[in-house]
């Protein structure tokens, strides 16, 4: 089975499961959007081994074609600190950090451009199921600043650390700053406790959560520096950015 056949098979299975009848578009780009959208709206539940095998092969080939970046190929900007502009779903390291919502189930908006949507899409549907079990065991919504570890499934990283960042509704407050700092102070020791060697942070709470980019970067860098100095942690930390504006901010602050 080639990639097109796998893609169509997954679409057909999801349409049947969701009792939807639509014509599958013929072009590759539209099929990819449809598959992603169907995965995004799927509630967490079991699926057949055949579906999982097809999905896992499809996603691994898809990500390989996008191009995998290994942390060992990155040049540190300072000792054990890296600045990398790229797609975090294609980074091979021990753990990547996901900017999650309080339900921890991923973004249900079809083809939304948030990092939560992308990570859940390319990890595969098992991630949402694991998160649902985690939340059931927790018995409540995740609190701002908390962090939780899951498998990464089809992503090149080994694990995902999900943290709930603060939402800035109008003006940036001291509580917002404290909450964002807490996100980093939850993720870093969690990685060390699991004996991980590397972690990649996305720009937590910027974008959809409206945290100012420059303020968020300053908190991220200062908190990581403080943690590493205090704990003597040898954890390799990647500051992952996707936009040029964030790259410029981090590059300036890290100098």
């Amino acid at each position: 089975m080639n990639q097109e056949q796998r893609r169509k098979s997954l679409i057909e299975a999801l349409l049947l499961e969701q009792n939807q009848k639509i014509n599958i578009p013929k072009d590759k780009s539209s099929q990819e959007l449809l598959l992603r959208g169907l995965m995004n709206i799927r509630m967490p539940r079991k699926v057949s081994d055949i579906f999982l095998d097809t999905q896992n092969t499809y996603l691994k080939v898809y990500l390989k074609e996008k191009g995998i970046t290994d942390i060992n190929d990155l040049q540190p900007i300072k000792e054990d600190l890296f600045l990398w502009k790229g797609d975090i779903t294609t980074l091979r390291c021990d753990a990547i950090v996901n900017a999650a919502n309080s339900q921890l189930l991923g973004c249900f908006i079809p083809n939304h451009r948030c990092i939560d949507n992308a990570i859940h899409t390319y990890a595969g549907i098992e991630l949402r199921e694991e998160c649902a079990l985690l939340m059931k065991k927790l018995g409540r919504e995740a609190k701002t600043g908390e962090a939780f570890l899951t498998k990464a499934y089809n992503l090149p990283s080994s694990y995902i650390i999900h943290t709930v960042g603060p939402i800035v509704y109008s003006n940036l407050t001291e509580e917002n700053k404290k909450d964002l700092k807490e996100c980093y102070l939850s993720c870093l020791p969690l990685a060390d406790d699991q004996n991980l060697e590397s972690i990649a942070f996305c720009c937590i709470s910027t974008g959809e959560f409206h945290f100012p980019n420059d303020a968020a970067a300053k908190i991220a860098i200062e908190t990581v520096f403080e943690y590493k100095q205090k704990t003597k942690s040898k954890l390799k930390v990647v500051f992952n950015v996707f936009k040029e504006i964030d790259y410029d901010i981090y590059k300036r602050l890290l100098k």
Side-chain angles (χ1 to χ4, degrees):
M1 194 182 295
N2 60 31
Q3 278 296 82
E4 181 179 5
Q5 291 169 329
R6 294 185 191 103
R7 187 166 54 245
K8 287 183 177 179
S9 174
L10 294 171
I11 291 172
E12 289 169 353
L14 290 171
L15 287 173
L16 180 63
E17 181 187 68
Q18 297 170 19
N19 197 26
Q20 295 189 48
K21 294 182 179 180
I22 61 173
N23 293 323
I24 299 175
K26 294 183 179 180
D27 65 288
K28 177 183 176 182
S29 179
S30 296
Q31 287 179 6
E32 289 176 346
L33 286 173
L34 176 57
L35 175 57
R36 178 170 178 169
L38 290 170
M39 292 173 71
N40 294 158
I41 64 174
R42 186 182 189 273
M43 296 300 291
R45 57 180 177 272
K46 294 289 185 181
V47 73
S48 71
D49 289 339
I50 294 176
F51 181 94
L52 284 180
D53 288 342
T54 304
Q55 174 208 248
N56 295 346
T57 302
Y58 175 80
L59 290 175
K60 281 184 167 57
V61 172
Y62 180 88
L63 289 170
K64 185 177 180 181
E65 289 176 346
K66 287 181 75 174
I68 305 299
T69 298
D70 195 297
I71 187 175
N72 293 318
D73 294 329
L74 301 180
Q75 293 297 317
I77 197 165
K78 291 182 181 294
E79 186 179 4
D80 292 336
L81 295 175
F82 303 79
L83 174 60
W84 178 66
K85 181 175 178 288
D87 181 350
I88 201 170
T89 65
T90 65
L91 181 62
R92 180 179 288 118
C93 63
D94 284 348
I96 62 171
V97 174
N98 177 32
N101 56 44
S102 60
Q103 292 182 326
L104 223 69
L105 296 180
C107 173
F108 283 86
I109 302 173
N111 298 298
H112 197 247
R113 297 181 67 180
C114 69
I115 188 66
D116 196 17
N117 187 293
I119 286 175
H120 272 267
T121 297
Y122 300 118
I125 62 174
E126 286 178 296
L127 176 57
R128 181 167 281 168
E129 186 178 346
E130 181 180 354
C131 286
L133 292 173
L134 191 158
M135 293 302 288
K136 183 178 180 180
K137 184 177 180 180
L138 188 64
R140 58 169 173 80
E141 289 192 345
K143 297 177 182 178
T144 302
E146 284 188 303
F148 304 87
L149 185 83
T150 67
K151 298 176 185 177
Y153 297 97
N154 293 291
L155 299 181
S157 59
S158 300
Y159 299 96
I160 303 166
I161 295 178
H162 308 261
T163 189
V164 183
I167 301 174
V168 178
Y169 291 101
S170 53
N171 296 325
L172 183 64
T173 67
E174 290 303 314
E175 185 177 0
N176 293 150
K177 296 177 183 178
K178 181 181 177 182
D179 286 341
L180 183 59
K181 182 172 184 175
E182 190 61 32
C183 289
Y184 290 91
L185 291 178
S186 295
C187 293
L188 291 164
L190 180 56
D192 272 332
D193 288 346
Q194 295 293 322
N195 295 316
L196 305 185
E197 295 182 359
S198 57
I199 183 173
F201 284 100
C202 63
C203 299
I204 302 169
S205 278
T206 60
E208 296 298 321
F209 282 12
H210 308 298
F211 208 106
N213 300 58
D214 53 350
K218 187 172 185 292
I219 290 170
I221 292 170
E222 288 180 351
T223 306
V224 169
F225 268 85
E226 289 172 6
Y227 174 82
K228 288 179 71 65
Q229 288 175 353
K230 182 178 180 180
T231 64
K232 308 302 179 185
S233 171
K234 297 298 182 182
L235 189 66
K236 294 179 180 179
V237 177
V238 180
F239 295 110
N240 164 247
V241 299
F242 193 69
K243 299 177 181 178
E244 194 66 32
I245 183 176
D246 289 311
Y247 183 84
D248 292 339
I249 291 170
Y250 273 88
K251 190 174 182 180
R252 171 172 52 80
L253 292 174
L254 284 166
K255 283 184 178 180

